[in-house]
């Protein structure tokens, strides 16, 4: 932990506790003021050297790529989207002349979209054919952000990672990141980039400092001003820039499940917090409230101690397996036809929690299958198959988690896992460290049948309810709303369900 008396332990402690009360699990927090790191802490088993899934923080990285392309004369804010992609069939509309790069950078394409739309295929083709909305104006969407990414990739003649490596990542000392791509090789624009918290802080520090990092101009200065200026106003001093959020003096890049990196010019400071939690509005409010109060010169021994104790006691508490579980070694279990049918009707199931971490590109089409186990006194090995991938992970039984690396559908995972026995049930705890998800699996074996009950966080049922996107006529009628929410909740429960496998 790096701290100075200029950083208030009281407000850092209260920030952590407020997140906890909102059900938000913090994975990392970092504070930089006047160019110096004052605080950096990670909750076990997360660490500084592990990239983290960012969700919509990706959009601000896409904005940065657009700034480079504009600065190099490859494209302009007034370039028409139709002129960038003349090869695609377009819907009939008189709005095409108004649809520019500026439109999609400010979420004002006026195109219809679905929040959970599949980005597997040619997303530009879908966008060009999609109708325009009757109601014009700002509408936050992955569609618009992806079109920014696609436009930069088109004019640059390469994907975003290759484009940004010599311009942004390498000059900042950032390793080549993993970035989700669709089946035609485009980096997804609305989500999908994985970076370390330290990487994000460097990028945001550049925006605070007019594009400079350690005296070197990295991001074009004009872009750091324009992108973080209100381009679409919501209320006094609040609005949206070019894929950045602005709230008074605070400018931020934010992502689903409470990822936020923000700077304040008044404080000359950057704060970054990566998390797992559904209550994003509470997290943002807490950070904004805390931001203006965390810097002071008054030491507080009481809160210094409280913060120290809190940091020492948080994080995953690993359980040791006292009794070896009863599990059928040497047998291979195949998914039952009913479990297979139910799961495929919603989202294919995996031992790795993938429902919310790769729901936009390269979606799996089949469930896990061909499950087998290998057991000794200290390690449980789980093997299974998903489509073309054969996966093996290790779970510690001796109180020491094991870390396994695997790849599923092109997604790399570093799996931290342990297992223990409780009342005849084998309980497995899995954290893919480069994501924010947690998977809990209860495994039971009887009469040649294997049952696996899945749960975890983020809770997909709550996510569906929160993001159901109810039309006005549903929202206005209590009975209809209750019925619709019932079916939404049941859909989520299917995704956190018990699956049955049979040995052959």
């Amino acid at each position: 932990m790096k701290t100075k008396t200029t950083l208030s332990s009281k407000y850092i402690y209260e920030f952590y506790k407020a997140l906890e009360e909102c059900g938000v699990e913090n994975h990392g927090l970092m504070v930089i003021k006047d160019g110096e790191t004052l605080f950096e802490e990670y909750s076990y088993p997360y660490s500084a050297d592990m990239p983290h899934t960012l969700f919509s923080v990706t959009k601000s990285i896409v904005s940065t790529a657009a700034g480079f392309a504009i600065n190099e004369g490859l494209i302009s804010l007034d370039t028409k989207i139709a002129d960038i992609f003349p090869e695609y069939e377009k819907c009939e509309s008189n709005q095409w002349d108004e649809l520019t790069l500026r439109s999609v950078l400010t979420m004002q394409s006026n195109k219809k979209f679905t929040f959970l739309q599949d980005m597997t295929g040619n997303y530009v083709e879908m966008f060009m054919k999609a109708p325009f909305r009757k109601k014009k104006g700002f509408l936050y969407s992955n569609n618009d952000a992806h079109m920014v990414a696609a436009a930069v990739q088109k004019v640059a003649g390469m994907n975003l990672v290759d484009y940004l490596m010599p311009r942004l990542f390498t000059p900042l000392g950032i390793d080549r990141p993993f970035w989700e791509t669709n089946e035609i090789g485009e980096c997804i624009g609305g989500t999908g980039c994985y970076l370390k918290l330290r990487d994000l802080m460097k990028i945001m520090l550049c925006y605070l400092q007019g594009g400079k990092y350690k005296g070197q101009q990295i991001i074009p200065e004009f872009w750091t001003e324009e992108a973080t200026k209100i381009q679409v106003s919501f209320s006094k001093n609040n609005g949206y820039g070019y894929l950045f959020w602005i709230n008074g003096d605070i400018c931020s890049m934010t992502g689903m499940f409470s990822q936020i990196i923000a700077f304040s010019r008044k404080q000359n400071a950057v704060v970054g917090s990566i998390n797992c939690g559904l209550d994003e509005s509470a997290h943002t409010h807490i950070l904004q409230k805390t931001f203006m109060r965390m810097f002071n010169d008054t030491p507080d021994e009481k809160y210094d101690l409280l913060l120290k104790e809190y940091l020492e006691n948080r994080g995953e508490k690993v359980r040791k397996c006292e009794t070896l579980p009863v599990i059928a070694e040497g047998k291979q279990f195949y998914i039952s036809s009913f479990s297979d049918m139910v799961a495929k009707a919603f989202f294919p199931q995996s031992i790795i929690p993938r429902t919310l971490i790769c729901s936009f590109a390269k979606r799996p089409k089949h469930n896990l299958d061909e499950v087998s186990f290998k057991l000794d006194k200290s390690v449980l090995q789980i093997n299974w198959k998903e489509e073309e991938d054969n996966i093996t992970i290790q779970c510690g039984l001796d109180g020491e988690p094991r870390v396994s690396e695997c790849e599923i559908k092109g997604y790399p995972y570093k799996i931290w896992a342990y297992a223990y026995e409780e009342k005849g049930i084998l309980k497995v705890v899995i954290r893919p460290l480069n994501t924010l998800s947690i998977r809990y699996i209860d495994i039971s074996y009887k009469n040649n049948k294997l049952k696996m009950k899945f749960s975890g966080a983020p809770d997909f049922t709550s996510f569906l309810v929160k993001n159901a996107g109810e039309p006005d006529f549903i929202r206005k009628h209590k009975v209809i709303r209750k019925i619709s929410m019932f079916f939404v909740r049941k859909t989520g429960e299917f995704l956190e369900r018990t699956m049955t496998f049979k040995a052959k």
Side-chain angles (χ1 to χ4, degrees), residues 172-191:
L172 292 179
I174 297 173
D175 296 333
R176 184 180 181 87
F178 173 74
W179 197 316
E180 295 179 35
T181 58
N182 56 23
E183 291 179 352
I184 63 171
E186 291 175 335
C187 291
I188 300 300
T191 182

Side-chain angles (χ1 to χ4, degrees), residues 115-116 256-257 278 280 462-470 488:
F115 175 68
L116 293 177
M256 191 165 67
F257 303 121
L278 287 171
E280 299 164 36
S462 299
F463 174 81
L464 282 177
V465 171
K466 183 175 183 288
N467 293 281
E470 302 165 298
V488 167

Side-chain angles (χ1 to χ4, degrees), residues 54-57 60 140 245 252-256 259-261 284:
L54 307 178
F55 295 102
S56 288
V57 169
S60 300
Y140 187 79
W245 296 94
S252 63
M253 41 187 180
T254 67
M256 191 165 67
Q259 321 313 312
I260 183 166
I261 297 85
T284 304

Side-chain angles (χ1 to χ4, degrees), residues 63-291:
S63 171
T64 306
F68 282 114
I70 292 169
N71 191 58
E72 293 166 13
L74 299 176
I75 199 169
S76 78
L77 287 169
D78 297 320
T79 301
K80 296 176 183 178
I81 296 298
D83 291 343
I84 302 172
F85 302 103
E87 66 272 29
Y88 290 106
E89 179 186 342
K90 307 191 302 291
C91 69
E92 292 294 328
S93 175
N94 58 6
Q95 292 190 47
W96 282 107
D97 282 343
E98 303 170 12
L99 181 49
T100 64
L101 182 66
R102 190 193 308 272
S103 305
V104 287
L105 275 165
T106 55
M107 300 290 181
Q108 296 183 101
S109 71
N110 300 323
K111 282 276 191 170
K112 287 187 176 180
F113 87 106
T114 301
F115 175 68
L116 293 177
Q117 186 165 334
D118 190 346
M119 289 185 168
T120 302
N122 191 328
Y123 199 71
V124 175
E125 182 178 38
M126 290 187 285
F127 180 91
M128 301 299 280
K129 290 180 180 179
F132 285 88
R133 306 188 316 268
K134 290 182 180 179
K135 185 178 180 180
K136 296 182 180 181
F138 179 90
L139 180 64
Y140 187 79
S141 81
N142 286 322
N143 298 38
D144 288 16
H146 182 76
M147 291 305 292
V148 177
V152 173
Q153 289 171 110
K154 177 76 179 292
V155 299
M158 64 187 80
N159 69 35
L160 285 183
V161 176
D162 289 337
Y163 184 67
L164 288 173
M165 280 306 299
R167 294 166 174 81
L168 181 70
F169 298 139
T170 299
L172 292 179
I174 297 173
D175 296 333
R176 184 180 181 87
F178 173 74
W179 197 316
E180 295 179 35
T181 58
N182 56 23
E183 291 179 352
I184 63 171
E186 291 175 335
C187 291
I188 300 300
T191 182
C193 186
Y194 291 63
L195 289 168
K196 302 169 189 173
L197 179 55
R198 287 177 177 177
D199 299 336
L200 296 166
M201 296 293 282
K202 289 177 183 178
I203 294 170
M204 207 53 154
L205 191 59
C206 281
Y207 274 94
L208 173 62
Q209 298 176 157
K212 291 183 178 180
Y213 182 74
K214 293 185 177 180
Q216 180 183 356
Q217 191 72 43
I218 307 295
I219 303 171
E221 183 177 9
F222 86 95
W223 192 251
T224 64
E225 296 172 358
E226 293 300 311
T228 62
K229 180 191 299 182
I230 292 178
Q231 304 292 341
V232 182
S233 181
F234 304 146
S235 60
K236 186 177 180 181
N237 298 324
N238 295 320
Y240 199 68
Y242 292 139
L243 305 182
F244 283 86
W245 296 94
I246 298 97
N247 189 329
D249 175 56
I250 297 173
C251 174
S252 63
M253 41 187 180
T254 67
M256 191 165 67
F257 303 121
S258 293
Q259 321 313 312
I260 183 166
I261 297 85
F263 73 73
S264 163
R265 288 194 173 92
K266 288 181 181 177
Q267 296 285 359
N268 193 32
V270 182
V271 175
S273 183
I274 51 176
N275 310 275
C276 174
L278 287 171
D279 196 342
E280 299 164 36
S281 60
H283 173 233
T284 304
H285 169 73
I286 292 162
L287 182 54
Q288 291 168 347
K289 179 181 177 181
T290 305
F291 211 142

Side-chain angles (χ1 to χ4, degrees), residues 12-24:
I12 294 291
Y13 174 75
E14 290 183 350
F15 172 72
Y16 278 129
K17 295 300 288 182
L19 286 186
E20 199 174 78
E21 289 170 9
C22 293
V24 176

